[in-house]
Amino acid sequence: MTVRRDFKEPARCRPDQVIGREELFSTAREQLGRGGSVLLHGPAGIGKSTVLRALAGEYGGAARTVLRCSPTESESHLPFLALADLLGLVLDEVSERLPTAQRIALESALTGRGESTLQRDGLALRLAVLSTLRALADTGPVLVVVDDLQWLDPASAELLGFAARRLGDTPVRMLCAVRTDGQEYDRHLRASPPDTLAVRLGPLSRAQMSALLDHRGYTGLPRSTVRDIHRTSGGNALFALELGRALAENSIPPSPGEPLPVPTSLRALVLNRLEMLSEEARRTLLVASAGARPTLTLLHAAGRDNAEAETAQAAELGLLATEPEGPAVRFAHPMISAALYAEAPAQERRAAHAALSTAASDPIERARHLALATTGTDPEVAARLAEAAALARDRGAPSVAAQLSLLAARHTPADDPRSPEVLRLEAAEDAITAGELDLARDIAREVLTRATVPADRVRAWIAVIETAGHAMAEVDAIFPQALADAGDDPKLLALVHYQLTWRALLVEGDFDEARGEAAYVAELAARAGDRYTQLMALAFQAQIETLMGHADAPATIRRALEEPQDPRVACHHNGAGYSRFRWLIMSDQLPEARAAVTALLREVRRHGWVESEVHFLRGVAETELHSGHCGRALDLARESLRLARDTGIGEVASAVLTSLAEAAGGEVDRALALAREAVEHAEEDGDQMYVSRALAALGHAQLVAGDVEAAVRSLRRVREVEQSLGITDPARGRWHGDLAEALVRSGEFAEAQDVIDVTREQALRLDRESVLAVLDRAEALIRAARGEQDAARAQLTSAQDRLGKLGYSLEEARAAFALAQLRTSAPGPTSYDEPARLFRRCRALPWLRQVEAAAAARPVEAAPTPASTPDGLDCLDGLASMERQVAALVMEGATNREIAARLFISVKTVEATLTRVYRKLGIRSRVDIVRLAAGRRTK
C-alpha cells in the first residue's frame, strides 16, 4: 500500500497505543527523527504491530510518500509480492525516470506479465528498486513500513535489502517489525539500511499489563486475577487480552487455586503440537502443569516412571524449554502449561493433583493439591488447609494464605466448630495484608450475607471499611450497622471506634475529635484485654498529636512502645514504629529517621505485608528527598506509586510524594500532572488531610515550573485547609517557605512576611530548625526586594550554612541559588558555580536547568565592577578588585568562611588573597587591616 500526501505536522501518538513501551517508543522516535531506520523485534503477540502503527502514525505525516506492506506466511512463497505491495501504486509516477532495462525488469516483476527472475534480471531489478526509491525521495522524505518482515518473500527481501544498503543520505527511512523467538534478528537487518536501530520488545510488567487491561475495557479485575493473567501470559500483550476477554465472557470466576480459563483461540495457538505427543507423555505434562515447581524427581514421585523420555519428546516439539544443567521442568511459555491444564478433563486434573498431594515435599503444596483433588466437604482436608494457611502467613505469603483459607472454607462442613465464615474472614484479612482489596471486599460481603455471630459480622464490617482506604465517606452507612452488631462488647466496640477515629480525621478533618476517639479506643481495648488494638490506638493518637504539634506526642509514643508489644503492631504502617519515624523526620533527625523506616521496610517485606510496604517505601523516599538524594528518592517514589496503583493502596499519598520527587529530580510536567491527579482524587474521596498534601505538592511543582501566580493560589488554599484542620506543626507539609517565596515573587511582601511570622512562631515553639532556616531564606528575599542587600546576603548565607549542617542538601542548594541570584543584582563579580555544583550533587535536574538558564541570561561584563569600600579607605586603592572586597569584609569583622560564602569563593582563595593584601599593604595580620582602616578614619 502506498500513501501520497502533502506535508503535515507529525501526528501525536496516543499514550494508550504504547502502554508499557514508552521508553523504547521514545528511543525509536528519536532514531526516526534523526533520519534513521528502526527494526522492532520480539515474539508473537508481544505488541510489535501496535508500536509500529503508532510510530508510523506519528512519522507518516512528515513523509511525502509512505510505502507499506504486511506480508503473510501463506503468501511468502510468491516472488515479488511484497515488492508489488510497496511499489505498485507509484510505478507509473517514476517509471519514465528509470533506464529502459530497469523499467522493463521492474514492470515485469511487479505485474507478473513477463518472466522476470532474480537469476535472469538480477542486476536490473536491484538497480530498478534503488532508482525508484531515489526518484521518490527527490520530491520529499519516504517512509517504508513493513510489518511481519519474517514473511517477506525471498525475492522482495533480497531486492529491498540491496537498495537499503545503498541509499546513503537519501531521505528514505525504514520502519519494520519482525517476529523473533530469541535474540536472532541479525539476518533480518539485511533488508534494512546499515544504521538501523534494532529495538526488542520484551514482556510487560504486571502494572503495565493492568493498565493495558483497563484501557481495553477489562476494568475492575482483582489484583490476584491480574497477577494470574500476568503469570499465565508471560507478559505477552496478546495473550493477556485474550485471557481478559475469556474472564469477561465467563460469568463464573475460577475457584481458589484453579487456573484461569484459557480461550479456544489461545489453546489452538499454543497447543498445535500437542497432538504429536504420546498419550503417556501428555499425562506427564499435565502433572507438570499442575505442579508449582515441577522437576523430574517430583514427576517420578507422582508415578510418572518414564518422565525423562516423555519430557525430552516434549522439548523436541518445543513445548518444554531445554535446561540440561537444571532439574526443573519448564514450559517454553506459561501459556502452554495453562492451555494444557485447561484442555484436560476434570477427572484427569483431579488425578494429577491427587498424585502431587503425596509427591510434593512442601506441606503448603501438598495441602493445595489435596484440596484440588477432593470434591465436597471434608473436615480432614479443611484442617490441613487451615494449617497450611497459617504456615503461609508465617512465611510472609499472605496472598497464598488467603487462597488456602478460602479452600479450607469450601471443604469445611457448615456444622464444624471452626465455621467456614471464620476461615473466610481470615482469608479477607490476609487479602488486605497482601494488598488484594477487591478480593477482601468480596469475601467480607459474602460473609455478611450468611453470618449471624456478632463477632463475625463486626470483623466483616471492619474488612469492608478497611478496603475503602482513605475514601471513608463511601462507607458511612456501615458504621451504625457495625455498632449495632458490636452491642456492649468492649472488644468489638474498640474495633469499630478505631475506624471512627480514622473517619474523624479523614472525612471530618477534626483533630480534637480524632484524638479523643483514639484515647477512648485505647481505654476500651485495655478493658477487653485486646493489646493489639490498644497499641494501634495509642500509635494513632501519637500520630494525631504529632500533626497537631501537641506537647503530649512524645509521651504517647513512649506509651505505644511499652511492653508487652505485639509483633503485628511493631511493623504496621499505623503502629508505634511508624509514629516514631514521623516524629524523627519532623524533628530534623534525618539519619535516625532513615534507619528507622528502612528497618521497618525490610521487616514488612520479609512478612509479605504489602499495604505497609507501600507506606514505608514512601517513608524511605521522603527521607532521601529531604536529604537531597533526588535520584534515589525519585526511584523509590516511582516504585511506591507503581505498587500503590497495582494494589489500590495509598494511591493519592504515593502520587503526592512522587510529584514532589519529580519536581526535585525528574520532570516538572510529570510533577504537575501527578499533583493535579492527587488533588482530584483526594477531593473525590473527601479526604481533607490529603487535599492539603496534594495542593502543597501542586503549589511546589508550579513554583518550580515558574508559574508563580498558580503556586500562590494553590498554597493559599493549603493554608486555609490546614488552619481549618488545626494542623500547627509546619514540619508536617513544609509548604510555608514555598508560599512565602511565591508571594515575594508576586510582590505580596506584607502577606509573605505574615506567613513567615506566624510559621516562625510555631516552628520556634516546636524547635523545627530546618523550617526556621527555610523561612529565613524566604525572608531574605523580602529584604532584598526592599533594598536591604547586605542583610539579605547575611541571612541567606546563614540559612545555607544551617541547612547544610542539618543535612537538607536540596534546601541548602536552593539557598545558594538565591544567594547567587541576589549577587547578580549588585555590583561585583558573581557565579552560579556553587548552586550548580550543589544541585548536581543532589541530582536535582529541574533546579539545575534553572541555574543554567539564569547563568545564560546574565549579561557578560567586560570587567568586574569594583566593590565599594567603607568610607575613608583610600589605602585600598592599590589593591585588585578581589583583594579590595576581601579586605573590606575583614574590616567589617567577617571571618574567612563568611567571606568565602559571601563572595562565592573557597576559604583557600580567601587565605591566598589575604596573603597578597598583607604583602601589598606592608602588614602582617587581619588585625593590622582593621587598625590601618581605623587610623585612616581618624584623620
Side-chain angles (χ1 to χ4, degrees), residues 355-527:
L356 289 168
S357 69
T358 57
S361 59
D362 186 84
I364 292 177
E365 277 298 298
R366 288 200 300 270
R368 186 181 75 87
H369 287 302
L370 181 61
L372 295 175
T374 306
T375 57
T377 60
D378 188 319
E380 183 180 348
V381 172
R384 287 183 58 181
L385 285 165
E387 292 171 3
L391 181 58
R393 204 172 293 123
D394 292 340
R395 287 183 181 178
S399 179
V400 175
Q403 294 295 332
L404 291 168
S405 292
L406 286 176
L407 286 170
R410 191 170 70 179
H411 290 286
T412 300
D415 57 353
D416 193 280
R418 186 178 175 83
S419 76
E421 307 315 323
V422 170
L423 291 166
R424 290 190 177 92
L425 286 169
E426 289 180 358
E429 290 161 358
D430 284 328
I432 291 173
T433 302
E436 298 178 8
L437 302 185
D438 292 337
L439 176 62
R441 186 185 303 110
D442 291 344
I443 296 170
R445 291 196 179 280
E446 182 184 354
V447 169
L448 287 167
T449 62
R450 291 194 295 254
T452 57
V453 178
D456 293 348
R457 293 187 59 80
V458 169
R459 281 179 69 184
W461 288 125
I462 297 301
V464 174
I465 293 169
E466 288 190 345
T467 60
H470 283 205
M472 296 199 75
E474 297 178 1
V475 292
D476 264 355
I478 287 177
F479 287 103
Q481 301 175 69
L483 286 170
D485 284 328
D488 298 327
D489 188 323
K491 183 173 183 177
L492 299 181
L493 284 171
L495 294 175
V496 180
H497 278 280
Y498 178 75
Q499 299 299 327
L500 284 169
T501 304
W502 279 99
R503 186 191 179 283
L505 183 66
L506 298 177
V507 179
E508 301 298 333
D510 191 328
F511 277 54
D512 287 327
E513 181 184 347
R515 180 172 179 261
E517 280 281 2
Y520 178 55
V521 172
E523 178 188 336
L524 281 172
R527 197 190 319 161

Side-chain angles (χ1 to χ4, degrees), residues 577-595:
Y578 195 65
S579 297
R580 178 175 174 270
F581 160 71
R582 298 275 2 136
W583 178 260
L584 288 169
I585 202 168
M586 292 171 70
S587 303
D588 299 326
Q589 301 178 59
L590 295 183
E592 295 84 353
R594 181 187 292 107

Side-chain angles (χ1 to χ4, degrees), residues 80 83 87 90-92 94-111 113-118 120-136 138 159 162-163 166-167:
F80 307 122
L83 197 66
L87 303 179
V90 295
L91 182 58
D92 291 342
V94 299
S95 61
E96 295 301 323
R97 287 182 274 172
L98 299 180
T100 303
Q102 293 180 25
R103 184 179 68 251
I104 293 172
L106 187 58
E107 288 177 347
S108 176
L110 298 187
T111 62
R113 290 194 294 267
E115 298 180 357
S116 182
T117 65
L118 274 180
R120 194 183 72 181
D121 303 313
L123 181 59
L125 278 172
R126 288 171 171 83
L127 293 175
V129 174
L130 178 59
S131 299
T132 300
L133 292 174
R134 284 175 173 166
L136 291 171
D138 285 343
L159 294 173
F162 176 87
R166 289 163 176 79
L167 285 168

Side-chain angles (χ1 to χ4, degrees), residues 505 510-516 541-551 553 586 725-730 732 762 765-766 768:
L505 183 66
D510 191 328
F511 277 54
D512 287 327
E513 181 184 347
R515 180 172 179 261
Q541 181 181 341
Q543 286 193 47
I544 298 169
E545 290 172 348
T546 298
L547 293 173
M548 296 173 69
H550 200 286
M586 292 171 70
L725 290 173
I727 297 174
T728 60
D729 193 333
R732 182 252 182 183
Q762 297 167 340
R765 177 176 61 85
L766 297 168
R768 301 299 190 231

Side-chain angles (χ1 to χ4, degrees), residues 751-910:
E751 185 180 351
Q753 190 64 56
D754 178 65
V755 170
I756 291 168
D757 292 341
V758 171
T759 309
R760 181 177 281 139
E761 181 181 352
Q762 297 167 340
L764 284 168
R765 177 176 61 85
L766 297 168
D767 194 25
R768 301 299 190 231
E769 180 59 30
S770 64
V771 174
L772 291 168
V774 169
L775 293 173
D776 280 352
R777 185 183 69 205
E779 189 172 51
L781 301 181
I782 300 177
R783 289 183 168 179
R786 290 172 174 167
E788 303 171 19
Q789 300 294 320
D790 291 341
R793 280 194 292 269
Q795 195 167 20
L796 279 173
T797 301
S798 172
Q800 179 184 346
D801 185 59
R802 286 150 57 204
L803 288 166
K805 289 178 179 177
L806 289 168
Y808 289 82
S809 298
L810 182 58
E811 298 295 348
E812 176 194 6
R814 287 182 63 181
F817 186 26
L819 191 58
Q821 289 176 305
L822 182 60
R823 291 199 181 104
T824 63
S825 62
T830 188
S831 171
Y832 285 99
D833 291 348
E834 178 70 0
R837 180 183 66 80
L838 292 174
F839 283 132
R840 194 174 292 112
R841 184 182 67 184
C842 294
R843 224 192 85 178
L845 303 182
W847 289 103
L848 188 58
R849 285 190 283 270
Q850 287 193 35
V851 172
E852 292 169 348
R858 177 165 172 77
V860 179
E861 298 177 1
T865 304
S868 60
T869 57
D871 293 338
L873 295 187
D874 54 329
C875 64
L876 304 183
D877 290 346
L879 300 180
S881 175
M882 178 62 71
E883 294 165 352
R884 286 169 58 83
Q885 292 180 75
V886 171
L889 290 171
V890 168
M891 293 172 184
E892 294 176 9
T895 65
N896 285 4
R897 181 178 177 80
E898 290 169 340
I899 294 171
R902 291 174 67 176
L903 296 182
F904 225 81
I905 58 178
S906 69
V907 175
K908 287 186 177 180
T909 301
V910 175

